Structure formats: structure tokens, C-alpha cells
Amino acid sequence: MDAFNTSMPLPFSYTFTITSGSCNTSTHTNPWMDVRIWSKLPERLLDRVIAFLPPPAFFRARSVCKRWYGLLYCSSFLELYMQISPSHHWFLFLKHRTLKSYICRANTSSGGNGDNRTNCEGYLFDPCDAAWYRLSFNLVPSGFYPASSSGGLVCWVSDEAGAKNLILFNPLVDSLIQLPPTLRPRLFPSIGLTVSPTSVDVTVAGDDLISPYAVKNLSTESFHIDAGGFYSIWGTTSSLPRLCSLESGRMVHVDGKFYCMNYSPFSVLAYDMAANKWFKIQAPMRRFLRSPGLVESRGKLILVAAVEKSKLNVPKSLRLWGLQDCGTWVEIERMPLQLYMQFAEVEGGNGFDPVGHGEFIVIMIRGSDKGLLFDICRKRWRWIPACPYLGSSGCANNGEGAELRGLAYEPRLATPVISLLSCFTG
């Protein structure tokens, strides 16, 4: 049940650089590092130190002794971990079949039980250290695609038309649970997920199957369970605004609301979970946007899009707008022109998908493994280093149309809502 599969090449190859102010300073003569002191450190203090380790370091530390190995199953340590462990604003990338490739595969395949697994592993990216790690998703059955992530759990949705089956999976500890199927048949709906230590909320919107050959964005159904005993298993429904188009399938959660892009023309749709209502927000410069996408960053909703006003004397650019409390948009950043020219050349008009987490925003170019990382706090742009595991993947990637799909992911050793869900749905 180790999160980072040890049968794969070990992805945690760190290079430690030791610097000191003086060449004559030796760490072994420092009285504060005396082994006689640290060997007598109480276990409760040692557990606090271990709880602060990032997940890759924690899983390596488990090989030290039997007690450290068992910490992953120790309830007192996991409770401490949930209280003091720092957040890690990382990103998870998985190979994702596009809608076009799925339809082509469905139309050309005639039966058979071929297991076209494109998602048996994921690639975890640490933006602080610009490091890549590999995670196994072998426990997720075939026929599911990754749709959303929250609270250390990745939501997988069945790709067959009809009532949707959803799986919540923690790849670090290989814990998995399947939710009851949705009530309405759908094709590729938009999925919203928000998970806390004591509650789970899932919203499934659009792509209602009105016939075996046609879909229409008509309705929303929601799933809620919390530790207080309140639950609603797809019992909360609402109607979508008329003539909405939810092509991206992505929903972003900010302050009790789910947001998603509406296309033709561009606007932002918001779903207030408490009021069970949808409303529309006008997008900035909507007639000149290209590849718009929504991300959450530090509790704020941000719209990322390319601006192309070719008939006006305004240079093409990639811009970020933040949604204010009053409902208006304010431009907060613009990609430097020289960098944008490089980005546009690589992108080649294929489009891009942004995803945000904490102070970081990743902008991935569709159909490739290339992307940019923007640090909001430092106002710094940089290209993401290539993932070293893509070329060595042992999973089949049959057919065309596969690309990396990015999700905001916070690796967590403990996700107690899995037990909560087991009590209600088991």
C-alpha cells in the first residue's frame, strides 16, 4: 500500500547541497547536533517532526525502522498529521483521452474486452522544487477518467453514457470508495468536487441524455455527506441556465460556489451550493478571448485567457483577471510579450488549459506535455521541466488524442472522509 510504487524506478532522487559560512565549521562538532541528545528525543516530539515531512520524504523515512513504517496505520499519528502537517500546493497530471478520441474509439470498436488503460499512473509535480514524482493508479478500474481533485482525493468518472459512477481515490494510501450512481443519464458532464476532513460535496452538471443520440445541458444534481449526520445522495437538483454550453467539463470551487466556463458567447456560470441556484457572470473582453479557463488561487477565482484583438492596435497577450467581491473583474497580471511570443509559437493555436493551486498557476498546452508555471506571489513565469517518466511509461497509450490533464492536488496521508462515506454508502 505504499503510495509511491517501489516497483517503479525510485522517483525521489534528491541532490543535497550543504553550504556553510565558514570552511572550518563541522556539523559533527556542533553540540546542538550531538547524537546523544537526538537519540533521546521523545517519540511524541519525533512524530511532530515526521508529520512535517513532505510525502516523498515520509515514504522514504518509513524504511528506517518498524515503528516508522507503521506510522501510516497509527491513528494517533494520523490525527496529529491532520492537525499540523503543512499544505503542499502540488499538481497531478494524468493521461487523458479527449472527447473526440473517445467517440472515435466507441464508434470503431465492435465488442471485445480490450483494456485500454491510459491512466494507470499519474505524474505529481512539486512547483517549489520543480520536481516530478510518479504515482500508481492501478486500483482504479478501466472505463473511468479523472475529472476533479480535492482534499487529497481524485475523482474518477465512468466514461460510458448513462448514470454516472464516481470513484474517490487517495493514491498515497490506496484507499478507494465508489459513490452511488447519479440519478440522471449523462454523457460527459462537468464535475465539481470539494472535500474537507468532515464533509464531501459533489456536483454533476449538464450533458443530460435526452435520447440515445443527443445531449442537452439541462440539470444539476448534487451529493453531500458530512460528519454531522446530514446527507443528500443526489437528492438536490436544479436547472441550468438556458442555452448554456459547458464544453470544458471543469468546475472550480471557491467559497461555497462552483464556477465553470460557458461558451458561445463566453461567460462564467456560478452555482451557489447553499442556495441551490445558478447565475451568470459576464466575462471580461469576452469577444476577444481565446482558450479561457478558470482557476482557484489563494481563495480567489481567476480567469486565464489569451486576448487577440487583431483589428485593433492592441498586442496579443495572455492575461489573468481576478473576480472581486462586487462581481467585477480586475486584471492582475499579463504575460511578458517576449514570453508570450515563445508560448504562442509552441502552442500553435491548439489552445491551453490552466489549473491553479495556492500561489501557483500552471498553463498546459493541449496535446503536449509542455507548460508554463506562474508564481503569483513572486510575479515570476517559467517553463515547467519535462516530466522524465512520460517516455518510460509502462502503460499502453493506444490510439491518438491522449494528452496530459492537470489537476490541483494536495497529497494527504489521511483522508477521513473515506471512512465517513463507507458508513453511509457501504
Side-chain angles (χ1 to χ4, degrees):
M1 288 184 55
D2 284 358
F4 304 93
N5 196 335
T6 55
S7 64
M8 302 178 180
L10 191 62
F12 317 123
S13 54
Y14 290 106
T15 300
F16 294 97
T17 303
I18 303 176
T19 60
S20 60
S22 172
C23 296
N24 296 325
T25 302
S26 299
T27 55
H28 68 272
T29 61
N30 189 335
W32 295 107
M33 298 303 295
D34 192 325
V35 67
R36 292 172 296 179
I37 297 176
W38 289 98
S39 63
K40 293 180 169 52
L41 191 68
E43 286 186 352
R44 59 185 180 86
L45 294 182
L46 189 59
D47 288 351
R48 295 182 71 90
V49 174
I50 297 176
F52 275 92
L53 292 176
F58 171 83
F59 279 92
R60 286 202 309 272
R62 293 182 71 210
S63 63
V64 170
C65 63
K66 184 181 294 187
R67 180 181 177 275
W68 287 16
Y69 182 85
L71 288 177
L72 190 60
Y73 314 106
C74 177
S75 58
S76 60
F77 173 78
L78 293 178
E79 184 177 349
L80 174 67
Y81 170 86
M82 292 181 59
Q83 294 173 357
I84 67 173
S85 175
S87 298
H88 300 284
H89 299 142
W90 292 9
F91 297 90
L92 177 64
F93 295 92
L94 302 107
K95 291 180 180 178
H96 174 66
R97 275 200 316 271
T98 61
L99 175 60
K100 179 180 178 181
S101 67
Y102 170 78
I103 293 176
C104 291
R105 181 177 65 88
N107 290 337
T108 56
S109 60
S110 56
N113 55 359
D115 187 2
N116 185 17
R117 296 295 308 277
T118 62
N119 291 311
C120 61
E121 67 179 33
Y123 312 102
L124 195 59
F125 179 67
D126 174 4
C128 294
D129 295 332
W132 288 94
Y133 308 103
R134 184 159 53 177
L135 292 176
S136 171
F137 286 88
N138 283 326
L139 290 185
V140 178
S142 60
F144 285 77
Y145 67 92
S148 186
S149 173
S150 178
L153 298 175
V154 181
C155 179
W156 297 74
V157 184
S158 57
D159 55 19
E160 293 294 333
K164 288 298 171 181
N165 293 300
L166 283 76
I167 288 176
L168 299 182
F169 180 61
N170 183 344
L172 265 65
V173 295
D174 282 348
S175 59
L176 178 150
I177 190 167
Q178 183 168 331
L179 302 184
T182 60
L183 302 181
R184 301 195 180 193
R186 303 176 188 272
L187 187 57
F188 285 97
S190 297
I191 307 294
L193 172 70
T194 177
V195 176
S196 75
T198 58
S199 67
V200 177
D201 284 278
V202 185
T203 296
V204 179
D207 252 15
D208 301 66
L209 279 167
I210 57 177
S211 78
Y213 309 102
V215 296
K216 194 172 183 180
N217 294 312
L218 296 175
S219 67
T220 303
E221 48 190 320
S222 300
F223 177 98
H224 172 86
I225 283 181
D226 61 45
F230 179 76
Y231 65 94
S232 174
I233 302 179
W234 308 119
T236 304
T237 60
S238 61
S239 299
L240 285 165
R242 292 182 64 251
L243 304 178
C244 64
S245 177
L246 313 178
E247 295 179 10
S248 70
R250 294 173 176 263
M251 300 181 76
V252 176
H253 179 261
V254 180
D255 194 24
K257 299 180 181 66
F258 283 116
Y259 297 88
C260 57
M261 284 302 305
N262 183 48
Y263 295 79
S264 301
F266 291 128
S267 63
V268 176
L269 296 179
Y271 173 62
D272 189 325
M273 293 190 296
N276 192 29
K277 282 186 178 181
W278 286 89
F279 58 94
K280 187 178 294 187
I281 304 172
Q282 183 171 326
M285 305 179 69
R286 61 178 182 172
R287 291 187 298 166
F288 308 103
L289 300 182
R290 185 173 66 84
S291 291
L294 299 172
V295 303
E296 183 275 336
S297 178
R298 300 189 299 171
K300 297 291 185 181
L301 182 70
I302 295 178
L303 172 63
V304 181
V307 175
E308 297 185 348
K309 301 172 69 172
S310 55
K311 295 183 179 180
L312 300 176
N313 190 22
V314 176
K316 297 180 180 180
S317 60
L318 189 144
R319 307 187 190 187
L320 282 67
W321 294 268
L323 182 64
Q324 307 301 298
D325 294 336
C326 58
T328 60
W329 298 93
V330 174
E331 184 176 323
I332 59 177
E333 182 64 22
R334 189 178 302 189
M335 183 184 290
L337 182 58
Q338 184 176 0
L339 178 61
Y340 178 73
M341 298 301 290
Q342 299 174 8
F343 177 79
E345 183 179 358
V346 176
E347 183 232 356
N350 294 321
F352 51 86
D353 295 304
V355 56
H357 199 192
E359 67 271 31
F360 299 104
I361 295 178
V362 166
I363 302 174
M364 292 297 298
I365 296 175
R366 292 175 186 163
S368 77
D369 60 348
K370 296 179 174 60
L372 280 171
L373 176 69
F374 176 58
D375 187 328
I376 293 180
C377 296
R378 295 180 174 87
K379 300 291 183 181
R380 184 175 65 182
W381 297 86
R382 56 175 169 161
W383 287 97
I384 296 175
C387 177
Y389 307 112
L390 285 177
S392 61
S393 173
C395 299
N397 186 15
N398 302 323
E400 298 180 355
E403 61 184 32
L404 285 183
R405 181 188 179 106
L407 300 172
Y409 180 70
E410 180 182 355
R412 304 293 294 174
L413 301 179
T415 48
V417 292
I418 291 288
S419 299
L420 179 65
L421 288 166
S422 300
C423 296
F424 281 90
T425 61

